[in-house]
Amino acid sequence: DVKVTQSSRYLVKRTGEKVFLECVQDMDHENMFWYRQDPGLGLRLIYFSYDVKMKEKGDIPEGYSVSREKKERFSLILESASTNQTSMYLCASSFSPGGEETQYFGPGTRLLVL
Amino acid sequence: GQSLEQPSEVTAVEGAIVQINCTYQTSGFYGLSWYQQHDGGAPTFLSYNALDGLEETGRFSSFLSRSDSYGYLLLQELQMKDSASYFCAVSVMDSNYQLIWGAGTKLIIKP
């Protein structure tokens, strides 16, 4: 059974804090993704990685960075959290970077920045 | 730019049939996916169409017309558990391979 796990389901942080969101997949996928989901806006891609130590900016990378030191783990970092980063964060992985192979999602992390 | 349009909300009755449309304006298109997301849950894959026509998987079917830049998801014999948000997503090859997501359609099912 395929699995993508995220380090926290709910997180409350203060403005200016550094925030780490971790994602682990057990499917040996090359490609991993970080999205944020806000009501009415669907899923917006923040960053993706197609290999270890490789990363590509998505549509909304500002204020975020990522790290992929191991194939199974993809971390999203908010260097200095701001209230407009309050959102649901979803991690996904797949065999391919496009859509022809299923993207498998983690349960999401709901982040509140006060 | 790349854009997808789908209705924000659709209402239907249990046991009925409902169609959720998706139109897109993209370059480098090569496929259309559909995902389902229940409230509080993660998106889960439903279907992928690369060629024109209808693909059927149980009660769900997905259609693609590349010439019209249009697709739809058809749900038959609606059940209350089908109440969820449905996202279309377009696969494109631009500077790199990407999956571009629609804003989602909330399907409300009434008894």
Side-chain angles (χ1 to χ4, degrees):
Chain A
D1 197 20
V2 298
K3 188 171 279 188
V4 180
T5 56
Q6 295 184 227
S7 48
S8 306
R9 290 300 305 269
Y10 301 94
L11 213 49
V12 180
K13 296 291 180 181
R14 298 212 172 269
T15 302
E17 279 193 79
K18 191 168 186 175
V19 182
F20 293 87
L21 303 181
E22 292 226 311
C23 175
V24 179
Q25 52 97 1
D26 66 358
M27 294 164 281
D28 203 34
H29 287 161
E30 270 87 29
N31 301 278
M32 297 187 74
F33 310 83
W34 274 107
Y35 296 93
R36 66 176 280 177
Q37 184 174 27
D38 301 288
L41 296 178
L43 279 73
R44 292 183 292 167
L45 183 65
I46 304 171
Y47 269 96
F48 69 98
S49 168
Y50 53 88
D51 202 351
V52 175
K53 297 192 186 295
M54 306 303 287
K55 61 184 178 184
E56 291 283 344
K57 292 180 180 179
D59 300 317
I60 50 164
E62 296 78 19
Y64 303 94
S65 62
V66 290
S67 172
R68 185 135 181 235
E69 295 297 318
K70 293 186 177 182
K71 190 175 188 180
E72 67 271 19
R73 190 179 299 269
F74 192 34
S75 301
L76 180 69
I77 303 146
L78 287 67
E79 296 289 343
S80 177
S82 63
T83 54
N84 62 14
Q85 292 178 309
T86 290
S87 187
M88 169 70 91
Y89 290 87
L90 289 162
C91 174
S93 73
S94 75
F95 278 117
S96 77
E100 67 273 26
E101 297 285 346
T102 304
Q103 286 199 7
Y104 295 90
F105 284 83
T109 296
R110 192 168 291 281
L111 173 67
L112 173 62
V113 182
L114 300 174
Chain B
Q2 317 268 34
S3 67
L4 282 80
E5 281 193 24
Q6 55 180 128
S8 58
E9 190 175 290
V10 171
T11 302
V13 177
E14 192 176 14
I17 299 172
V18 73
Q19 178 174 311
I20 299 173
N21 298 321
C22 176
T23 58
Y24 57 87
Q25 286 189 309
T26 61
S27 56
F29 172 91
Y30 68 90
L32 179 70
S33 304
W34 288 93
Y35 282 74
Q36 178 192 60
Q37 185 181 30
H38 287 99
D39 280 348
T44 56
F45 174 82
L46 291 176
S47 67
Y48 175 76
N49 293 63
L51 303 175
D52 285 356
L54 191 69
E55 298 264 352
E56 298 181 55
T57 309
R59 294 187 296 114
F60 292 7
S61 303
S62 57
F63 172 83
L64 174 64
S65 169
R66 295 173 70 114
S67 59
D68 294 324
S69 299
Y70 163 74
Y72 65 73
L73 180 69
L74 189 74
L75 296 81
Q76 303 182 72
E77 300 171 20
L78 284 172
Q79 302 175 11
M80 297 304 292
K81 68 178 182 179
D82 297 330
S83 296
S85 291
Y86 293 84
F87 294 87
C88 61
V90 166
S91 301
V92 300
M93 173 54 191
D94 197 345
S95 53
N96 48 44
Y97 289 99
Q98 298 187 60
L99 191 61
I100 299 170
W101 295 78
T105 298
K106 187 174 180 66
L107 175 60
I108 298 168
I109 300 174
K110 298 186 174 179

